[in-house]
Structures are given as structure tokens and as C-alpha cells.
Amino acid sequence: MKTAHKKVIIVGAGFGGIELAKKLKHLPFDVWLLDKHNYHCFQPLLYQVATGGLEASSIAYPVRRIFRGYRNIECHMAEVQRINTDRRTLSTDIGEFEYDYLVIATGSTNNFFNFEPIKQQLFPLKSVVNALDIRSFIMQNLELAAITQDASKRAALMNIAIIGGGPAGVEVAGALAEMKRYVFPKDFPNLDFSQMNIVLFEAAPRLLSAIRNTLLQ
């Protein structure tokens, strides 16, 4: 239905997109919030899902539920395919839509640095699916380690390497260290977890260097 209000399309239901949509409540705009998922992921707690501390449902909240009662906001699950700036239209997998204002709030992507050629062999931690993949892979490796007679293969299956000493990397390493001490030995009593190594790699001279630099500014 045509209205006199300007149409704002926000692409991305992360922290930025959701906060902007909330700010536009009751203002003279028709707001569409688009995301390829129909839930908002609380990314700071992804490490808890990856290490079994939380279930995925604890950090994934339905976007539509957030905006219940917001009369000028519509939420749609859609993946953007093309932006047509000349015609002010957005092409998605559910159709093409006109807009007056377009906001791109799709967040960030992983930086694989020198590992770009082998990124398909690595486990990023950016989404609920990524977190569940990590959890599943760790548990599958421990299951294999429990029945492996070859000591070198068992060590490879039990050892975990984490690349990146930022908040996510440090949190994952800490959570895995707690599981190594308190959880894994109960689930796999025939494995010697003193032989399990959790190695955190960071190119900078300090862990959490970005946070430290910010605090010193």
C-alpha cells in the first residue's frame, strides 16, 4: 500500500541494523529490515555455543519477535543480490523492492590473512552455523581419539589450534581449557587429557592488543 512516508530499507539484522530500526519507530518512515536469516545472532557469545556452554537457541532470537507492535517496521528474510542505485531498487531472492533510503548494515567478514588459500579447511567463528560446526568437529575428533590406538594420531585428534588472540580467540581458548579440566575427562574417561594441547596463535606481541591499544588512547 502506497503511503506518503519515505521508505527505508535496512540490510542486516545485526546490532547496527536492529538499533537503527528501533530508532525509526514512530517516525514518518516505512522501514523494511532484511536479513538472510530470520533471527538475530548475539555474536559475543558464539564461543559459548562452539564450546558447548550454551545452546544455539540461547543466542539466536527471532527478528520478528523483536519488532512486535512496531507498526512502521516490516521484517523479511531475504538475501540481497544486487543494488540498482540509478533506479533506487534492491534485487533480492524474494523480489525487487524500491527504496528512498538504503542502509547497509551487514557487519564484517573474517580476515584470513595469509591463510586465504586454505580457508576452506579452517573453521571461522562468525555465525551460529560456524559455532555448531566447531562443536561437532571437536566432539567427533574426541570420539575418534577414544578408539585410536596410534598415539600420534590420538594427539593430532585431541590437540586444538586457535588462530587469533583477539576477544573471540581468547574466549574460545579459555572455555576449551575449562572443558579440558572439568568436562571432557568425565565424558571420555579413557583419554588422558593431560596430553591435550590448546595452542593460541597471535601475530601481535600481546593478546587482546586491539583492546589494549584502544584503552591507552
Side-chain angles (χ1 to χ4, degrees):
M1 183 178 69
K2 281 284 186 180
T3 69
H5 295 166
K6 297 287 187 180
K7 183 172 182 178
V8 179
I9 294 183
I10 303 170
V11 181
F15 292 115
I18 285 177
E19 190 61 26
L20 175 59
K22 287 181 176 179
K23 295 292 185 183
L24 296 177
K25 181 183 180 182
H26 300 318
L27 294 180
F29 295 104
D30 291 327
V31 182
W32 277 31
L33 181 60
L34 308 183
D35 196 283
K36 63 181 179 181
H37 302 297
N38 61 358
Y39 57 86
H40 166 72
C41 173
F42 190 78
Q43 288 190 340
L45 290 180
L46 277 173
Y47 80 97
Q48 289 275 23
V49 176
T51 56
L54 290 174
E55 293 302 319
S57 57
S58 299
I59 67 166
Y61 196 79
V63 176
R64 290 179 179 273
R65 193 172 300 170
I66 296 173
F67 293 100
R68 283 179 178 174
Y70 285 55
R71 293 187 177 183
N72 66 322
I73 298 175
E74 291 187 31
C75 303
H76 296 279
M77 188 170 70
E79 190 161 2
V80 176
Q81 299 169 334
R82 187 171 58 258
I83 300 172
N84 311 298
T85 54
D86 293 338
R87 295 187 288 123
R88 287 181 175 270
T89 62
L90 197 67
S91 297
T92 75
D93 58 350
I94 62 170
E96 185 171 280
F97 308 105
E98 297 179 349
Y99 64 84
D100 294 294
Y101 301 102
L102 176 64
V103 178
I104 305 297
T106 49
S108 60
T109 58
N110 288 293
N111 187 343
F112 289 95
F113 297 97
N114 295 330
F115 296 98
E116 191 73 29
I118 61 167
K119 67 180 182 181
Q120 299 302 326
Q121 302 174 40
L122 307 178
F123 286 94
L125 184 57
K126 204 69 177 177
S127 69
V128 170
V129 173
N130 293 159
L132 291 174
D133 285 345
I134 292 172
R135 182 198 295 189
S136 176
F137 186 76
I138 291 172
M139 299 309 295
Q140 287 178 37
N141 276 4
L142 292 179
E143 291 287 355
L144 291 173
I147 60 172
T148 298
Q149 301 302 314
D150 187 304
S152 62
K153 288 183 180 179
R154 187 184 309 115
L157 289 166
M158 293 178 66
N159 292 338
I160 300 173
I162 302 163
I163 301 174
V170 169
E171 287 169 335
V172 169
L176 286 173
E178 288 188 358
M179 294 188 73
K180 170 187 171 180
R181 184 173 181 181
Y182 299 110
V183 179
F184 292 152
K186 295 177 181 178
D187 293 337
F188 299 91
N190 62 321
L191 289 177
D192 179 6
F193 283 94
S194 68
Q195 302 298 309
M196 182 183 199
N197 296 302
I198 301 167
V199 185
L200 180 60
F201 294 92
E202 168 57 42
R206 294 174 180 269
L207 296 177
L208 302 173
S209 57
I211 293 177
R212 186 175 186 276
N213 292 339
T214 300
L215 293 175
L216 292 175
Q217 288 178 358

Coordinates of all heavy atoms in Angstrom, one line a residue, residues 9 29 34 37-38 47 60 65 67 77 94 105 110 120 124 147 156-157 162 166 173 185 194 209 217:
I9 N 15.1 1.0 3.6 CA 15.4 -0.5 3.7 C 16.7 -0.6 4.4 O 17.7 0.0 4.0 CB 15.5 -1.1 2.2 CG1 14.1 -1.1 1.6 CG2 16.1 -2.5 2.3 CD1 14.1 -1.8 0.2
F29 N 8.5 7.1 8.6 CA 9.2 6.3 7.6 C 8.5 4.9 7.6 O 8.1 4.4 8.6 CB 10.7 6.1 8.0 CG 11.5 7.4 7.9 CD1 11.9 8.0 9.1 CD2 11.9 7.9 6.7 CE1 12.6 9.1 9.1 CE2 12.7 9.1 6.7 CZ 13.0 9.7 7.8
L34 N 15.8 -6.3 6.3 CA 16.1 -7.5 5.5 C 17.3 -8.2 6.1 O 18.3 -7.5 6.4 CB 16.3 -7.2 4.1 CG 15.3 -6.4 3.3 CD1 15.7 -6.3 1.8 CD2 13.9 -7.0 3.4
H37 N 18.9 -14.3 7.4 CA 18.4 -15.2 8.4 C 17.2 -14.5 9.1 O 17.0 -13.3 9.0 CB 19.4 -15.5 9.5 CG 20.7 -16.1 9.0 ND1 20.7 -17.4 8.4 CD2 21.9 -15.7 9.0 CE1 21.9 -17.7 8.1 NE2 22.7 -16.6 8.4
N38 N 16.3 -15.3 9.7 CA 15.1 -14.7 10.4 C 15.4 -14.5 11.9 O 14.4 -14.5 12.6 CB 13.8 -15.5 10.1 CG 13.9 -16.9 10.6 OD1 14.9 -17.3 11.1 ND2 12.8 -17.6 10.4
Y47 N 31.3 -18.1 21.1 CA 32.3 -19.0 21.6 C 31.6 -20.0 22.6 O 32.1 -21.2 22.8 CB 33.4 -18.3 22.3 CG 33.1 -17.7 23.7 CD1 33.6 -18.5 24.8 CD2 32.4 -16.6 23.9 CE1 33.3 -18.0 26.1 CE2 32.2 -16.1 25.2 CZ 32.6 -16.8 26.3 OH 32.3 -16.4 27.5
A60 N 20.3 -16.9 19.6 CA 19.6 -16.6 18.3 C 18.2 -16.3 18.6 O 17.4 -17.1 19.1 CB 19.7 -17.8 17.3
R65 N 10.1 -11.2 16.4 CA 9.6 -11.0 17.7 C 10.1 -9.7 18.4 O 9.5 -9.1 19.2 CB 10.1 -12.2 18.6 CG 9.4 -12.3 19.9 CD 9.8 -13.6 20.6 NE 9.3 -14.7 19.8 CZ 9.7 -16.0 20.1 NH1 10.5 -16.3 21.1 NH2 9.2 -17.0 19.3
F67 N 10.4 -6.9 16.9 CA 9.6 -5.8 16.4 C 8.1 -6.0 16.4 O 7.4 -5.3 15.7 CB 10.1 -5.5 15.0 CG 11.5 -5.0 14.9 CD1 12.5 -5.8 14.6 CD2 11.8 -3.7 15.3 CE1 13.9 -5.4 14.6 CE2 13.1 -3.2 15.3 CZ 14.1 -4.0 14.9
M77 N 12.9 -12.1 5.5 CA 14.1 -13.0 5.3 C 14.4 -13.0 3.8 O 13.7 -13.5 3.0 CB 13.9 -14.4 5.8 CG 15.1 -15.2 5.8 SD 15.0 -16.8 6.6 CE 13.9 -17.7 5.5
I94 N 13.8 -12.8 -3.0 CA 12.3 -12.8 -2.9 C 11.7 -11.7 -3.7 O 10.5 -11.5 -3.6 CB 11.9 -12.7 -1.4 CG1 12.3 -11.4 -0.8 CG2 12.4 -13.9 -0.6 CD1 11.7 -11.1 0.6
A105 N 23.9 -2.6 6.6 CA 24.4 -2.9 8.0 C 24.7 -4.4 8.1 O 24.2 -5.1 9.0 CB 23.3 -2.5 9.0
N110 N 35.3 -12.4 8.0 CA 36.5 -12.9 8.5 C 37.7 -12.4 7.7 O 37.6 -12.4 6.5 CB 36.5 -14.4 8.6 CG 35.6 -15.0 9.6 OD1 35.8 -14.8 10.8 ND2 34.5 -15.6 9.2
Q120 N 39.1 -22.8 3.2 CA 38.0 -23.9 3.3 C 38.3 -25.0 4.3 O 37.5 -25.7 4.7 CB 37.8 -24.5 1.9 CG 37.4 -23.5 0.8 CD 36.1 -22.7 1.2 OE1 35.2 -23.3 1.8 NE2 36.0 -21.5 0.8
P124 N 35.9 -20.8 10.7 CA 35.6 -19.5 11.2 C 34.6 -19.5 12.3 O 33.9 -20.5 12.5 CB 35.1 -18.7 9.9 CG 34.4 -19.8 9.2 CD 35.3 -21.1 9.4
I147 N 39.0 -44.2 20.4 CA 39.2 -45.6 19.9 C 40.4 -45.8 19.0 O 40.6 -46.8 18.4 CB 37.9 -46.0 19.0 CG1 37.8 -45.0 17.8 CG2 36.7 -46.0 19.8 CD1 36.7 -45.4 16.8
A156 N 47.0 -35.8 17.5 CA 46.5 -34.9 16.5 C 45.0 -34.6 16.6 O 44.5 -33.5 16.4 CB 46.8 -35.4 15.1
L157 N 44.3 -35.7 17.0 CA 42.8 -35.5 17.2 C 42.5 -34.7 18.4 O 41.4 -34.1 18.4 CB 42.2 -36.9 17.3 CG 42.2 -37.7 16.0 CD1 41.9 -39.2 16.3 CD2 41.2 -37.2 15.0
I162 N 44.1 -22.5 17.8 CA 43.2 -21.3 17.6 C 44.1 -20.2 17.0 O 45.1 -19.8 17.6 CB 42.6 -20.9 18.9 CG1 41.8 -22.1 19.5 CG2 41.7 -19.7 18.8 CD1 41.5 -21.9 21.0
G166 N 42.5 -12.2 19.7 CA 41.5 -11.2 20.0 C 40.5 -11.7 21.0 O 40.7 -12.8 21.5
A173 N 39.7 -20.2 23.7 CA 40.8 -20.9 24.4 C 40.5 -21.1 25.8 O 40.7 -22.2 26.4 CB 42.1 -20.1 24.2
P185 N 37.1 -35.0 30.7 CA 37.5 -36.2 31.4 C 36.3 -37.0 31.9 O 36.4 -38.3 32.0 CB 38.3 -35.7 32.6 CG 38.9 -34.3 32.1 CD 37.7 -33.8 31.3
S194 N 45.8 -34.7 30.0 CA 47.0 -34.0 30.3 C 47.8 -33.9 29.0 O 48.7 -33.1 28.9 CB 47.8 -34.7 31.4 OG 48.3 -36.0 31.0
S209 N 45.5 -7.2 21.8 CA 46.3 -5.9 21.6 C 45.4 -4.8 21.1 O 45.6 -3.6 21.4 CB 47.4 -6.2 20.5 OG 46.9 -6.7 19.3
Q217 N 44.5 4.9 24.3 CA 44.3 6.1 23.6 C 43.6 7.2 24.4 O 42.8 7.0 25.2 CB 43.5 5.8 22.3 CG 44.2 5.0 21.3 CD 43.4 4.7 20.0 OE1 42.2 5.0 20.0 NE2 44.0 4.0 19.1

